[in-house]
Short mmCIF file of all heavy atoms in Angstrom, two decimals:
data_model
loop_
_atom_site.label_atom_id
_atom_site.label_comp_id
_atom_site.label_asym_id
_atom_site.label_seq_id
_atom_site.Cartn_x
_atom_site.Cartn_y
_atom_site.Cartn_z
N LYS V 156 64.49 -22.46 -49.23
CA LYS V 156 64.82 -21.09 -48.83
C LYS V 156 63.70 -20.09 -48.78
O LYS V 156 64.01 -18.93 -48.91
CB LYS V 156 65.86 -20.53 -49.75
CG LYS V 156 67.25 -20.89 -49.30
CD LYS V 156 68.27 -20.03 -49.90
CE LYS V 156 69.59 -20.33 -49.41
NZ LYS V 156 70.70 -19.64 -49.91
N THR V 157 62.61 -20.05 -48.59
CA THR V 157 61.67 -21.05 -49.00
C THR V 157 61.23 -20.84 -50.43
O THR V 157 60.54 -21.67 -51.01
CB THR V 157 60.40 -20.95 -48.13
OG1 THR V 157 59.90 -19.60 -48.30
CG2 THR V 157 60.67 -21.14 -46.67
N GLY V 158 61.58 -19.67 -50.98
CA GLY V 158 61.16 -19.37 -52.34
C GLY V 158 59.72 -18.96 -52.44
O GLY V 158 59.18 -18.83 -53.54
N LEU V 159 59.02 -18.79 -51.31
CA LEU V 159 57.60 -18.44 -51.29
C LEU V 159 57.44 -17.05 -50.73
O LEU V 159 58.33 -16.48 -50.09
CB LEU V 159 56.84 -19.44 -50.44
CG LEU V 159 56.96 -20.91 -50.84
CD1 LEU V 159 56.28 -21.79 -49.82
CD2 LEU V 159 56.38 -21.15 -52.21
N ASP V 160 56.25 -16.48 -50.96
CA ASP V 160 55.98 -15.18 -50.38
C ASP V 160 55.62 -15.34 -48.91
O ASP V 160 55.54 -16.44 -48.36
CB ASP V 160 54.87 -14.46 -51.15
CG ASP V 160 53.58 -15.27 -51.18
OD1 ASP V 160 53.45 -16.20 -50.35
OD2 ASP V 160 52.71 -15.00 -52.03
N VAL V 161 55.39 -14.22 -48.25
CA VAL V 161 55.16 -14.23 -46.81
C VAL V 161 53.89 -14.99 -46.45
O VAL V 161 53.84 -15.72 -45.46
CB VAL V 161 55.09 -12.78 -46.29
CG1 VAL V 161 54.77 -12.76 -44.80
CG2 VAL V 161 56.40 -12.06 -46.55
N VAL V 162 52.86 -14.84 -47.28
CA VAL V 162 51.58 -15.49 -46.97
C VAL V 162 51.73 -17.00 -47.02
O VAL V 162 51.25 -17.73 -46.13
CB VAL V 162 50.50 -15.01 -47.96
CG1 VAL V 162 49.20 -15.75 -47.72
CG2 VAL V 162 50.30 -13.51 -47.83
N GLU V 163 52.40 -17.51 -48.05
CA GLU V 163 52.55 -18.96 -48.17
C GLU V 163 53.44 -19.51 -47.08
O GLU V 163 53.23 -20.61 -46.57
CB GLU V 163 53.09 -19.31 -49.55
CG GLU V 163 52.07 -19.10 -50.66
CD GLU V 163 52.57 -19.62 -51.99
OE1 GLU V 163 53.80 -19.82 -52.11
OE2 GLU V 163 51.75 -19.83 -52.89
N GLU V 164 54.49 -18.75 -46.71
CA GLU V 164 55.34 -19.20 -45.61
C GLU V 164 54.56 -19.30 -44.31
O GLU V 164 54.72 -20.23 -43.52
CB GLU V 164 56.52 -18.24 -45.45
CG GLU V 164 57.57 -18.38 -46.53
CD GLU V 164 58.72 -17.43 -46.32
OE1 GLU V 164 58.60 -16.57 -45.42
OE2 GLU V 164 59.73 -17.55 -47.04
N GLU V 165 53.67 -18.32 -44.10
CA GLU V 165 52.85 -18.37 -42.87
C GLU V 165 51.89 -19.54 -42.91
O GLU V 165 51.64 -20.18 -41.89
CB GLU V 165 52.09 -17.06 -42.71
CG GLU V 165 51.35 -16.98 -41.38
CD GLU V 165 50.70 -15.63 -41.17
OE1 GLU V 165 50.51 -14.89 -42.15
OE2 GLU V 165 50.35 -15.31 -40.02
N ARG V 166 51.36 -19.84 -44.07
CA ARG V 166 50.47 -21.00 -44.17
C ARG V 166 51.22 -22.30 -43.86
O ARG V 166 50.67 -23.20 -43.21
CB ARG V 166 49.85 -21.07 -45.58
CG ARG V 166 48.84 -19.97 -45.86
CD ARG V 166 48.44 -19.98 -47.31
NE ARG V 166 47.59 -21.11 -47.61
CZ ARG V 166 46.25 -21.05 -47.67
NH1 ARG V 166 45.64 -19.91 -47.43
NH2 ARG V 166 45.56 -22.11 -47.95
N LEU V 167 52.45 -22.40 -44.34
CA LEU V 167 53.25 -23.57 -44.00
C LEU V 167 53.48 -23.66 -42.50
O LEU V 167 53.39 -24.74 -41.89
CB LEU V 167 54.60 -23.51 -44.73
CG LEU V 167 54.59 -23.78 -46.23
CD1 LEU V 167 55.99 -23.54 -46.80
CD2 LEU V 167 54.15 -25.21 -46.52
N LEU V 168 53.78 -22.53 -41.91
CA LEU V 168 54.03 -22.51 -40.47
C LEU V 168 52.77 -22.85 -39.68
O LEU V 168 52.81 -23.63 -38.73
CB LEU V 168 54.55 -21.13 -40.06
CG LEU V 168 55.20 -21.03 -38.67
CD1 LEU V 168 56.38 -21.98 -38.57
CD2 LEU V 168 55.65 -19.60 -38.41
N VAL V 169 51.63 -22.31 -40.08
CA VAL V 169 50.36 -22.62 -39.41
C VAL V 169 50.00 -24.08 -39.60
O VAL V 169 49.48 -24.73 -38.69
CB VAL V 169 49.25 -21.69 -39.94
CG1 VAL V 169 47.89 -22.12 -39.41
CG2 VAL V 169 49.53 -20.25 -39.54
N ARG V 170 50.31 -24.62 -40.79
CA ARG V 170 50.04 -26.04 -41.04
C ARG V 170 50.84 -26.91 -40.07
O ARG V 170 50.32 -27.87 -39.49
CB ARG V 170 50.43 -26.37 -42.48
CG ARG V 170 50.23 -27.82 -42.88
CD ARG V 170 48.78 -28.19 -42.97
NE ARG V 170 48.27 -28.76 -41.75
CZ ARG V 170 47.02 -29.09 -41.55
NH1 ARG V 170 46.12 -28.89 -42.48
NH2 ARG V 170 46.64 -29.60 -40.42
N ASP V 171 52.10 -26.56 -39.85
CA ASP V 171 52.92 -27.29 -38.89
C ASP V 171 52.42 -27.09 -37.46
O ASP V 171 52.50 -28.00 -36.63
CB ASP V 171 54.37 -26.83 -38.99
CG ASP V 171 55.19 -27.74 -39.91
OD1 ASP V 171 54.56 -28.50 -40.67
OD2 ASP V 171 56.42 -27.69 -39.86
N CYS V 172 51.90 -25.91 -37.18
CA CYS V 172 51.34 -25.66 -35.84
C CYS V 172 50.13 -26.57 -35.59
O CYS V 172 49.93 -27.07 -34.47
CB CYS V 172 50.95 -24.20 -35.69
SG CYS V 172 52.34 -23.07 -35.53
N LEU V 173 49.32 -26.78 -36.60
CA LEU V 173 48.17 -27.68 -36.44
C LEU V 173 48.64 -29.11 -36.22
O LEU V 173 48.00 -29.87 -35.48
CB LEU V 173 47.26 -27.59 -37.67
CG LEU V 173 46.56 -26.25 -37.88
CD1 LEU V 173 45.62 -26.33 -39.07
CD2 LEU V 173 45.80 -25.83 -36.64
N TYR V 174 49.75 -29.49 -36.84
CA TYR V 174 50.32 -30.80 -36.54
C TYR V 174 50.81 -30.86 -35.10
O TYR V 174 50.63 -31.86 -34.41
CB TYR V 174 51.47 -31.11 -37.50
CG TYR V 174 51.03 -31.64 -38.84
CD1 TYR V 174 51.33 -30.95 -40.01
CD2 TYR V 174 50.33 -32.83 -38.93
CE1 TYR V 174 50.94 -31.44 -41.24
CE2 TYR V 174 49.92 -33.32 -40.15
CZ TYR V 174 50.23 -32.62 -41.31
OH TYR V 174 49.82 -33.10 -42.51
N ALA V 175 51.46 -29.77 -34.65
CA ALA V 175 51.97 -29.75 -33.29
C ALA V 175 50.85 -29.84 -32.27
O ALA V 175 51.03 -30.40 -31.18
CB ALA V 175 52.78 -28.47 -33.05
#
Side-chain angles (χ1 to χ4, degrees):
K156 274 198 177 178
T157 58
L159 303 174
D160 58 18
V161 176
V162 176
E163 289 188 342
E164 286 181 352
E165 187 175 19
R166 290 172 72 98
L167 287 174
L168 195 59
V169 172
R170 179 69 266 176
D171 265 16
C172 287
L173 294 184
Y174 278 119

